[in-house]
Amino acid sequence: AILRTTVVTTSIFGDYLMTKHLCLICGHEYNTEKGEPGQNIPPGTPFSALPADWVCPVCGSEKKFFKEV
């Protein structure tokens, strides 16, 4: 018999995964690793932790117009 295993790795910081979210309106990319320095969002801030009223710094679109890529 062949035994197959799958290894899944995650960051030790839980939600601090290096994800990116793309604005479907203008194409701006929110990168968790970089944050949004111009909006005082520090590096490492997960998209899910952004304030509810956060908007795209380029076109002003709401969070609901972003898709994880």
Side-chain angles (χ1 to χ4, degrees), residues 10-48:
T10 58
S11 166
I12 61 171
F13 299 106
D15 198 22
Y16 183 76
L17 299 174
M18 299 306 158
T19 60
K20 296 177 182 177
H21 288 76
L22 184 70
C23 178
L24 299 174
I25 306 303
C26 73
H28 174 73
E29 185 177 270
Y30 176 80
N31 185 329
T32 298
E33 187 174 6
K34 296 178 182 178
E36 285 291 352
Q39 294 181 317
N40 296 319
I41 306 293
T45 303
F47 190 79
S48 61

Side-chain angles (χ1 to χ4, degrees), residues 2 5 13 20 24-25 31-32 34-35 37 43 45 53-54 57 61 64-67:
I2 297 174
T5 59
F13 299 106
K20 296 177 182 177
L24 299 174
I25 306 303
N31 185 329
T32 298
K34 296 178 182 178
T45 303
D53 62 349
W54 181 85
S61 294
K64 67 182 179 182
F65 292 106
F66 278 75
K67 178 182 178 183

Side-chain angles (χ1 to χ4, degrees), residues 1-6:
I2 297 174
L3 177 63
R4 294 182 183 195
T5 59
T6 301

Side-chain angles (χ1 to χ4, degrees), residues 44-63:
T45 303
F47 190 79
S48 61
L50 294 175
D53 62 349
W54 181 85
V55 296
C56 176
V58 175
C59 70
S61 294
E62 299 174 22
K63 285 175 69 174

